[in-house]
Amino acid sequence: MESRFDNEDNVLYFFITEEIDHHTTEKIRRKMDYEITRFMPRKVVFDFSKVTFMDSAGIGLLIGRYKLAKMLGGVTTMINTNKNIEKVFEMSGILKIIPIESKTSGTVPFVS
């Protein structure tokens, strides 16, 4: 996973590059929690463009980061989701608290 903080807009981007399941969530959670508390962003954006699989452990991961960002005064959103990931989101009900932004709703900085 890569992350980038846009200081000008106070937005923290997480570019998730692996499958999100019970094997990977702990490592991802530690990194995300560190970055969120370090920067205290106004907005946290989860980019799913390279995620091919996610299970219920990923839902728990996202809800926890949503709560942390909210506690620090920020909001969360998701971008670049595919149909399989969106189906998991719809079934879980997570879209009621974390919206998916359209792919054209802004420029996302690229991290290599």
Side-chain angles (χ1 to χ4, degrees):
M1 181 187 70
E2 299 288 334
S3 62
R4 180 177 186 282
F5 180 66
D6 182 346
N7 199 26
E8 185 175 316
D9 294 328
N10 197 17
V11 177
L12 178 60
Y13 294 92
F14 288 110
F15 301 90
I16 306 165
T17 56
E18 60 260 16
E19 294 182 350
I20 306 172
D21 58 21
H22 70 279
H23 296 293
T24 60
T25 52
E26 183 61 28
K27 179 182 81 167
I28 296 170
R29 182 195 61 77
R30 283 193 306 265
K31 170 83 169 160
M32 286 181 173
D33 285 354
Y34 172 76
E35 296 291 321
I36 291 169
T37 55
R38 176 179 167 211
F39 292 112
M40 298 181 74
R42 176 187 57 78
K43 185 175 186 180
V44 175
V45 178
F46 301 106
D47 186 322
F48 285 87
S49 58
K50 297 194 179 196
V51 176
T52 57
F53 175 81
M54 187 177 85
D55 65 12
S56 60
I59 298 299
L61 172 78
L62 293 174
I63 290 173
R65 292 350 13 111
Y66 160 80
K67 289 179 178 180
L68 178 59
K70 185 176 180 179
M71 182 179 74
L72 296 172
V75 297
T76 56
T77 189
M78 300 179 284
I79 59 172
N80 297 325
T81 56
N82 64 44
K83 291 190 186 291
N84 293 333
I85 301 298
E86 287 177 19
K87 189 179 289 186
V88 173
F89 291 153
E90 289 171 11
M91 289 189 307
S92 72
I94 197 170
L95 296 177
K96 294 176 183 173
I97 60 170
I98 305 175
I100 297 174
E101 286 187 6
S102 70
K103 294 177 183 169
T104 59
S105 65
T107 305
V108 177
F110 177 75
V111 174
S112 57

